[in-house]
Amino acid sequence: MFEFALPWVFALLPLPLLARRLLPRARPLSSALKVPFYAELSQRGSGGPGNLLNLLLLTLIWLLLVTAAAGPQWYGEPISQTTSARDLLVAVDISGSMETPDMLLDGRPAMRIEAVKDVVGDFVQRRKGDRLGLVLFGTRAYLQAPLTYDRETVGTLLREAQIGFAGQGTAIGDAIGLSVKRLMQRPAEHRVLILLTDGANTAGEVAPLKAAELAAQAGVTVYTVGVGADEMVQPGLLGSRFGARRINPSRDLDSKTLQAIADRTGGRYFRARNPQELAQIYDELDRLEPVEQEAASYRPLKSLFTWPLSLALLLSLLWAAVPLLANIRPAGSAAPRPAQRSGAL
């Protein structure tokens, strides 16, 4: 749809005519710059064969300038857009124990953090319409990505997370407290925290259950995920089977506390012993926390003022250039020389 942003500007169309009638004529100065082609320029504003064409050209230029000032614009067809009011933070443990190679990823042994990056990265990409954020924690917790609709950036920052950047400890309570603080800065609609860890709280200033109480008061639902296999073969002497033994790499996982955190905030506790179970957990989270989308639409706006403005500039240049071109002598021509008198001296 075509329309003008400032249609009242067209009221200025009679302005040159009013200025000509109401303002006094300028008085000629006694000293002025001598222009060789001034006579030709002055003839364009007075009577003459080309006076009508000259007047029409100036009128067209003024009309184009006023049209550009009125702000012509074009509204496109409505474009539908879906939005969500859900704020979702993902807190990932990057303590030293996440290097434990007790996962199988694509048929090869992999560290826990590798499996987490693979599965959680896919989960982040599926949450279209949610505001997503990323918290990384070890001995300390810090916000790696604030709440944003930019899922690509959140996924990239998750893939770039390195073990030990936040220390070797596990500050579960601080991670929850920081996440609650960030979520409380958003409108109280639907606040969700997914916390993933493979150990127990060994660092930080806030106890996990105290942080869970604060989350419940703030209306934050916390889903906890415990990562790590129940059994792992530890190689023997020089990496051989001689002296190998089976161990429980998840003996430090505090499932009781993680369950209590989920219960106090209305969430759920999940146990992920391998990447397949971890993927199933995030599929279940998709069902528990569906993406609530609200229909919205907008109409793209394109400004068109440059077209009449450019045309007015072009016509103005042509109007000014015509007398200049008319006074340029062709190359090789010279002024006529006076005739010489003939006769005997």
Side-chain angles (χ1 to χ4, degrees), residues 15-286:
L15 186 60
L17 183 60
L18 294 176
R20 181 179 178 85
R21 291 185 175 273
L22 298 180
L23 295 180
R25 291 181 177 271
R27 295 180 179 179
L29 300 177
S30 57
S31 61
L33 181 64
K34 302 297 183 181
V35 182
F37 49 87
Y38 175 75
E40 287 81 356
L41 286 176
S42 62
Q43 289 297 325
R44 305 184 70 188
S46 59
N51 184 44
L52 180 59
L53 180 60
N54 179 54
L55 180 61
L56 291 176
L57 184 59
L58 292 175
T59 302
L60 179 59
I61 293 173
W62 174 248
L63 178 61
L64 290 172
L65 290 175
V66 173
T67 302
Q73 54 192 10
W74 176 266
Y75 281 98
E77 295 297 326
I79 298 177
S80 299
Q81 178 177 307
T82 56
T83 59
S84 172
R86 191 181 306 272
D87 296 317
L88 194 153
L89 269 177
V90 180
V92 177
D93 185 353
I94 57 171
S95 61
S97 58
M98 289 293 287
E99 286 184 314
T100 306
D102 60 349
M103 296 283 176
L104 281 177
L105 191 62
D106 297 329
R108 62 174 178 83
M111 294 185 296
R112 294 170 177 174
I113 189 63
E114 293 182 65
V116 168
K117 290 180 179 181
D118 184 71
V119 175
V120 178
D122 291 339
F123 173 78
V124 167
Q125 296 305 315
R126 293 198 302 267
R127 302 303 298 188
K128 184 177 181 180
D130 281 343
R131 283 182 290 264
L132 295 173
L134 177 63
V135 171
L136 301 177
F137 66 96
T139 305
R140 300 176 181 83
Y142 63 94
L143 184 69
Q144 180 72 350
L147 290 167
T148 176
Y149 288 110
D150 189 354
R151 294 173 290 119
E152 294 295 334
T153 298
V154 175
T156 299
L157 292 174
L158 174 61
R159 290 191 299 269
E160 293 176 350
Q162 300 295 321
I163 296 297
F165 273 16
Q168 298 297 321
T170 307
I172 296 177
D174 285 4
I176 297 175
L178 176 61
S179 301
V180 170
K181 178 181 178 181
R182 292 296 177 176
L183 289 168
M184 287 182 64
Q185 296 175 359
R186 301 294 307 174
E189 295 174 347
H190 202 156
R191 302 164 175 165
V192 179
L193 169 63
I194 300 175
L195 184 138
L196 189 146
T197 183
D198 66 343
N201 189 76
T202 59
E205 300 179 358
V206 182
L209 296 183
K210 178 62 177 179
E213 293 178 2
L214 297 175
Q217 295 173 5
V220 178
T221 303
V222 182
Y223 295 94
T224 54
V225 181
V227 181
D230 289 334
E231 187 178 87
M232 176 183 174
V233 177
Q234 190 174 43
L237 185 64
L238 300 177
S240 66
R241 294 185 178 181
F242 181 75
R245 59 194 180 96
R246 295 183 180 274
I247 62 172
N248 178 12
S250 299
R251 59 185 178 273
D252 294 330
L253 179 63
D254 191 356
S255 297
K256 182 178 179 181
T257 298
L258 295 177
Q259 180 70 64
I261 292 172
D263 291 341
R264 293 191 182 188
T265 59
R268 283 181 57 181
Y269 168 62
F270 300 94
R271 183 74 173 89
R273 298 170 181 83
N274 51 61
Q276 292 73 30
E277 288 186 356
L278 186 59
Q280 293 174 2
I281 289 171
Y282 279 94
D283 289 340
E284 181 66 19
L285 288 172
D286 278 333

Side-chain angles (χ1 to χ4, degrees), residues 285-318:
L285 288 172
D286 278 333
R287 289 189 289 270
L288 293 173
E289 297 292 337
V291 179
E292 298 176 356
Q293 296 181 342
E294 301 176 357
S297 63
Y298 71 96
R299 301 183 67 176
L301 175 63
K302 183 177 181 181
S303 181
L304 305 175
F305 77 94
T306 55
W307 292 98
L309 186 61
S310 300
L311 184 56
L313 178 61
L314 179 61
L315 293 177
S316 299
L317 292 176
L318 291 175

